[in-house]
Amino acid sequence: MTRTVLLGTVGALALATLAATPALAEKPATAGANPFATASTLPFEAPRFDIIKDADYLPAFKQGMKIQLAEIKKIADNPAAPTFDNTLVAMEKSGRMLDRVSQVFFGVVQANTNDALDAVQTTVSPLLSQHNDAIYLNDKLFQRVKSLYDKRDSLKLKPEQAQLLKVYYQQFIHAGAMLNDADKATLRDLNTKLSSLETAFQQKLVAAAKEGGLVVDDKAKLAGMGDGAIAAAAEAAKGRKLEGKYLVPLQNTTQQPALSSLDDRATRQALFERGWTRAEKGDANDTRATISDIANLRAQKAKLLGFPNYAAYVLADQMAVTPDAAEGFMKRMVPALAAEQKREAAEIQAQIKKDGQDFALKPWDWDKYAEQVRKAKYDLDEGALKPYFELHTVLEEGVFYAANQLYGLTFKRRTDIPVYQPDVLVYDVIDKDGSALGLMYFDYFKRDNKSGGAWMSNFVQQSKLLGTKPVVYNVCNFTKPAPGQPALISFSDVTTMFHEFGHALHGLFANQTYETLSGTNVARDFVEFPSQFNEHWALDPKVLAHYAKNYQTGEAMPAELVEKIKKAATFNQGYALGEIVAAAMLDLEWHSLPADAPKQDVDAFEKEALAKTGLDVDDVPPRYRSSYFLHIWGNGYAAGYYAYLWTEMLDDDSYAWFKDHGGLTRENGERFRQMILSKGHTEDYGPMFRAFYGQDPDIGPMLQNRGLAPEGK
C-alpha cells in the first residue's frame, strides 16, 4: 500500500500536493538567509539537506504564507478585467517559498521526524488550514475565477488551460466559495480544528507504534523467524538501549510479518495483540477520542457544504463519483470472497489439526498455518525465496530494468546530493533520448521515527510554466539488516518496491504546463492505478530472470521455484483481498455518518460496521483498525480507501490489454506513457482510461487475477 498525500499549501482539496507555485521573481539568497527563501542551486532544485536545520521550517512557513497572501491579494484586487493569465497563471506562480518548505517538511516529518519537527507540525497545520481558507474563501478572487468559468466557451483556451480553469472552479466550489460569510466563518473553524486533530492523530500513532513493538527476553520465543530476522530484532532492541533483548517492531497493518514464521503461539498472540491494541491503551497515545472528533467534524463540514455526509463530499470529484458506486463495486466481490474465506479458514483449521495442534483458528495463527498450506499445496517456502531478493539487486536489476524495457529509462547513482538520513539513496533518471528526466530518492528501511507504510511523493513538482522537473521519493518500512548482513526481502516487499516505483513513474513522466494538473495530482481512485499496474512486472519472466538471483552465488532462481511462485499467486486471496475490502467498507461507514449523529464509541462502531460487510471479519480482520487507520485519519484517503480496489480493476484491465498486445514491449510502454502516465489531470479520468483500454472498466480481469473467477468469465 502507499500514500501520495502531503499537506499542500494551496488547493488542499487536490489529491497529492497541490501547493501553490513559484513567485514571479526571486533574488539570490544572502548569507544567513533561510534556505527556503530561494530555489535550491542543486541539480533539479533538490532540497539543501546539507544546510536545512529544524529551526528553518517554521520561519519559512510563516514567511511563505505571508508572501503568498500578498500575491493573492494583488491578484484579487487587480482592477483589470480577469484573464486567464492575470488570474489563473498568476495563482499558479504564487507561493513558491511556501511550496518549497511544504514539500520538504512534510516529506521529512513523515519519514524522519523528531520532537522539534513534531512541534512545528502541530503549530503549522492549523495555520496552513487557515491559509488555504484565506485563498479559497476569498470572494473577490473567486469572482474572478467564476467570471472566467462562466464565459469559458468563448475564451478559446487550449485543452490544458480549459482543464485548469475547470479544476480551479471546482476546487473553489468544493472549498466553500459559495457559502455566505457566516457559514464561511464556521467552515474556517471546522477546517482549523480538523487540521489540528489530524496532526494529533498522526503523532499519536507514530508514538503508539513505537511503544507497541514486542520486546522479548528469551531468544527461544523467536524460533522460526530465522537468524537474520532475529539478529535484526536484537539490533532494534539495542537501538532502544534494551541490551540483551529482542524487539519486533510494528508495521502499520493488522498482520505483522513475523506472524508467518514464529513457532511459539503465545509469542504470535502477544505480537498480534500488541499491534491490534497499539493505539487503544487509554494513555496519551490512544487515538479513539481523536477519531470520534474527526468523524463528527467531517460530517458537520459536509452538511455545511450541502452534502449528506463526508463520503458524498469527497467522492463528488472522484472517478467513482458517489459512495453508492464505490460500495456497489465492492459488494460485487463479497459473495465470491466470503465463500473463499470460508474455504480457506476450513483448510487452515485442518492444517492446524494435521500439525498435531488442538486449538481454534485465530487471526494470529492465520499467516503461520497459511504458510504451511502454501508449502503443502505448492511446495513453496517463503524463506527459500528471500536469498533471491536482495534489495539493491531488486531495485537496480528489477525495478529499473523493467522501466528500461518499457520506457527506455536509465538510472545513475549519485552520492553528491545531500540526503535527510544516511540510508537514503539518490539516482539521476535519464530519459530514452538521453535527456535528464528527474531525480529519485529511495528510503527503504524502518525507523522508530518513521510513519508506517509505504509511499511516494515529490520534493519538487514538474511544471513547464515554472521550468521545474520532478524530484520524487519512495519511502518504505522494510526491516533493516544487522550490520554486515544482506538486505534480503520477501516477495511481498518486492511487489511493494514495484508498486511505489509505479507512483514514481507517474510523477517522473509528468509533462504539464501547470503544476496543479501535474503528475500524481489526480483523484484518489485514479492515483493508485499506475502504481498497482507496475506491480505486474515483478513476475514478468524477462524481468524476474534479470533480478531474482541468489545473493551469494549469483545463480538465477530455479525455473521450478519461479513456477511455484506463479502457481501460488492466487493463494490466500480470501484473506489478502478480504482484509482490504473490510477496511475500505469500514472507511465508508465512518464517513457516511450524518452531521446529527452523536460522537461514536469507536470500538462499538467498528464492530457494527464490520458486521455489515458480510465477510468473515473474525478470522480475517480489516487490514487497518479504526484506531490505526492512518490512511483515512491522517493521510488524505478519507472515504477513499476503496481506491486501492477500484484502481486494481483499472490496472488489471490494463495489464490484460498488455498481454493481448505482446506484453513487455517498448511500443506498449510508450503507449501507456503517452496515454496515462504523462497525462496528469489534463483530462477527465473516464475518457482517459477508455481511450487506452477501449471500453469502460471491467471487474472481470481483477477477479480472475485474484483467482475468484475463471478465465474468460
Side-chain angles (χ1 to χ4, degrees):
M1 295 301 173
T2 187
R3 62 177 177 272
T4 59
V5 69
L6 299 177
L7 179 60
T9 56
V10 169
L13 303 168
L15 295 162
T17 40
L18 212 166
T21 49
L24 293 173
E26 296 173 320
K27 296 178 181 179
T30 58
N34 190 292
F36 297 105
T38 58
S40 166
T41 56
L42 292 177
F44 305 97
E45 300 185 14
R48 290 296 306 270
F49 289 121
D50 53 334
I51 62 172
I52 294 170
K53 302 182 295 295
D54 291 349
D56 292 325
Y57 289 111
L58 188 56
F61 272 118
K62 290 182 175 180
Q63 183 66 12
M65 285 186 274
K66 181 179 179 181
I67 291 171
Q68 187 175 30
L69 287 181
E71 294 167 336
I72 292 296
K73 185 177 187 303
K74 185 176 179 181
I75 297 168
D77 292 345
N78 189 344
T83 66
F84 185 86
D85 286 342
N86 72 16
T87 302
L88 297 185
V89 172
M91 288 176 67
E92 285 288 292
K93 290 182 175 179
S94 72
R96 179 54 166 161
M97 182 177 182
L98 187 52
D99 187 44
R100 281 194 291 268
V101 65
S102 295
Q103 301 280 26
V104 175
F105 176 77
F106 287 104
V108 174
V109 79
Q110 289 185 83
N112 202 50
T113 195
N114 57 43
D115 290 344
L117 296 182
D118 284 348
V120 172
Q121 187 179 22
T122 299
T123 299
V124 82
S125 292
L127 296 179
L128 287 171
S129 176
Q130 294 160 17
H131 180 78
N132 284 325
D133 285 342
I135 296 170
Y136 279 87
L137 300 182
N138 182 323
D139 190 61
K140 291 174 70 175
L141 183 64
F142 172 60
Q143 292 305 325
R144 294 182 70 85
V145 174
K146 185 177 184 300
S147 70
L148 292 171
Y149 185 77
D150 289 345
K151 58 182 179 182
R152 58 193 180 279
D153 293 339
S154 65
L155 295 179
K156 298 181 180 179
L157 299 176
K158 296 177 181 178
E160 187 176 344
Q161 292 175 321
Q163 180 76 349
L164 184 70
L165 175 56
K166 182 173 77 170
V167 167
Y168 262 114
Y169 180 75
Q170 290 174 340
Q171 287 177 355
F172 271 94
I173 298 298
H174 213 54
M178 298 286 280
L179 297 177
N180 61 40
D181 288 345
D183 286 344
K184 283 181 179 178
T186 301
L187 181 61
R188 288 187 178 98
D189 183 56
L190 287 170
N191 286 340
T192 299
K193 289 177 179 176
L194 280 167
S195 179
S196 295
L197 286 167
E198 288 158 4
T199 297
F201 175 84
Q202 292 179 62
Q203 294 179 353
K204 286 173 183 282
L205 186 55
V206 170
K210 177 181 177 181
E211 294 303 316
L214 180 66
V215 178
V216 175
D217 297 324
D218 183 1
K219 181 180 178 180
K221 292 182 178 179
L222 300 180
M225 277 180 59
D227 293 341
I230 293 173
E235 195 68 22
K238 191 183 302 181
R240 292 198 200 168
K241 297 181 171 48
L242 299 170
E243 298 292 339
K245 298 185 179 183
Y246 303 86
L247 172 66
V248 183
L250 297 180
Q251 72 172 22
N252 197 44
T253 52
T254 295
Q255 287 286 7
Q256 302 297 311
L259 290 172
S260 65
S261 56
L262 283 167
D263 292 333
D264 184 66
R265 191 174 190 233
T267 304
R268 291 200 306 273
Q269 181 175 353
L271 177 59
F272 180 90
E273 291 179 345
R274 293 287 291 181
W276 187 249
T277 62
R278 73 190 79 177
E280 296 193 353
K281 298 187 180 299
D283 58 9
N285 298 326
D286 195 309
T287 61
R288 287 173 291 184
T290 306
I291 287 167
S292 185
D293 287 341
I294 291 173
N296 181 262
L297 292 176
R298 284 175 176 171
Q300 292 181 41
K301 177 176 176 177
K303 181 180 179 181
L304 187 66
L305 291 165
F307 292 87
N309 52 56
Y310 197 75
Y313 167 72
V314 169
L315 269 72
D317 61 356
Q318 302 293 293
M319 191 174 178
V321 182
T322 68
D324 285 347
E327 186 177 16
F329 156 70
M330 290 188 289
K331 283 183 174 178
R332 290 175 62 189
M333 306 179 212
V334 168
L337 185 53
E340 179 64 12
Q341 288 180 332
K342 183 177 181 180
R343 188 196 67 76
E344 288 176 7
E347 190 173 49
I348 291 170
Q349 187 67 64
Q351 182 63 37
I352 291 171
K353 184 177 180 180
K354 185 177 180 181
D355 196 44
Q357 304 297 321
D358 183 23
F359 55 76
L361 170 66
K362 295 293 183 182
W364 49 86
D365 303 314
W366 189 291
D367 280 2
K368 172 71 175 176
Y369 288 93
E371 183 59 24
Q372 290 188 12
V373 173
R374 186 205 306 267
K375 289 179 184 177
K377 291 182 73 170
Y378 304 104
D379 192 24
L380 180 62
D381 181 355
E382 286 288 341
L385 298 180
K386 283 190 174 183
Y388 295 94
F389 300 140
E390 194 281 321
L391 185 148
H392 298 88
T393 303
V394 173
L395 177 64
E396 295 193 342
E397 303 299 327
V399 173
F400 290 172
Y401 176 73
N404 173 265
Q405 295 300 294
L406 285 165
Y407 312 112
L409 301 185
T410 53
F411 303 83
K412 183 179 180 181
R413 175 81 186 276
R414 296 194 71 146
T415 56
D416 60 328
I417 301 293
V419 294
Y420 57 84
Q421 205 278 342
D423 290 335
V424 177
L425 308 174
V426 184
Y427 289 82
D428 274 330
V429 185
I430 303 161
D431 209 346
K432 57 188 176 183
D433 61 359
S435 63
L437 187 62
L439 197 63
M440 183 82 207
Y441 294 64
F442 297 90
D443 179 2
Y444 279 134
F445 296 125
K446 182 174 179 57
R447 295 184 289 274
D448 282 344
N449 64 342
K450 180 189 279 191
S451 293
W455 62 93
M456 163 272 175
S457 197
N458 288 58
F459 286 134
V460 179
Q461 295 254 358
Q462 178 274 339
S463 167
K464 294 177 185 176
L465 175 69
L466 308 169
T468 51
K469 292 189 175 184
V471 178
V472 173
Y473 56 89
N474 278 175
V475 182
C476 297
N477 271 278
F478 303 148
T479 299
K480 186 175 181 178
Q485 297 298 309
L488 303 182
I489 60 177
S490 68
F491 186 67
S492 175
D493 294 336
V494 171
T495 303
T496 297
M497 290 174 68
F498 275 83
H499 176 108
E500 297 308 332
F501 194 73
H503 281 303
L505 290 170
H506 199 186
L508 288 165
F509 286 148
N511 190 33
Q512 282 66 59
T513 299
Y514 308 108
E515 187 183 53
T516 292
L517 306 176
S518 179
T520 57
N521 286 334
V522 297
R524 278 281 169 252
D525 57 9
F526 197 81
V527 77
E528 297 297 335
F529 164 29
S531 55
Q532 296 188 154
F533 170 77
N534 202 58
E535 293 179 21
H536 289 282
W537 305 115
L539 267 179
D540 179 86
K542 187 176 181 182
V543 177
L544 185 68
H546 203 261
Y547 74 84
K549 298 177 180 178
N550 188 288
Y551 79 98
Q552 292 176 309
T553 66
E555 294 179 0
M557 180 180 286
E560 59 270 22
L561 198 52
V562 173
E563 192 60 28
K564 289 175 184 178
I565 294 175
K566 292 180 178 180
K567 286 182 178 179
T570 58
F571 174 73
N572 206 38
Q573 287 303 307
Y575 197 107
L577 182 58
E579 65 168 355
I580 299 173
V581 173
M585 288 186 166
L586 177 61
D587 169 30
L588 282 181
E589 281 292 311
W590 270 114
H591 292 105
S592 295
L593 286 167
D596 59 358
K599 289 187 180 179
Q600 301 295 312
D601 176 299
V602 171
D603 293 335
F605 181 89
E606 177 177 282
K607 184 176 181 180
E608 183 179 346
L610 292 175
K612 293 180 183 178
T613 64
L615 299 172
D616 176 10
V617 293
D618 291 330
D619 294 324
V620 186
R623 185 171 177 83
Y624 304 98
R625 282 193 88 185
S626 303
S627 57
Y628 50 86
F629 208 158
L630 180 60
H631 287 74
I632 68 170
W633 303 121
N635 279 314
Y637 275 77
Y641 194 69
Y642 78 91
Y644 287 101
L645 299 165
W646 184 276
T647 52
E648 183 177 336
M649 173 175 61
L650 304 182
D651 89 69
D652 284 340
D653 286 352
S654 299
Y655 187 64
W657 183 94
F658 265 71
K659 289 193 295 184
D660 289 343
H661 293 82
L664 182 88
T665 69
R666 282 290 303 281
E667 181 181 5
N668 288 344
E670 186 64 22
R671 186 174 186 270
F672 193 67
R673 173 178 178 171
Q674 294 303 321
M675 300 182 76
I676 301 292
L677 295 178
S678 66
K679 289 289 189 180
H681 191 194
T682 56
E683 297 178 13
D684 290 345
Y685 310 115
M688 188 192 307
F689 181 80
R690 284 192 293 273
F692 174 79
Y693 187 52
Q695 64 183 64
D696 286 334
D698 172 17
I699 200 173
M702 175 184 174
L703 295 178
Q704 293 164 14
N705 196 50
R706 289 278 188 170
L708 298 175
E711 292 287 339
K713 297 292 185 183

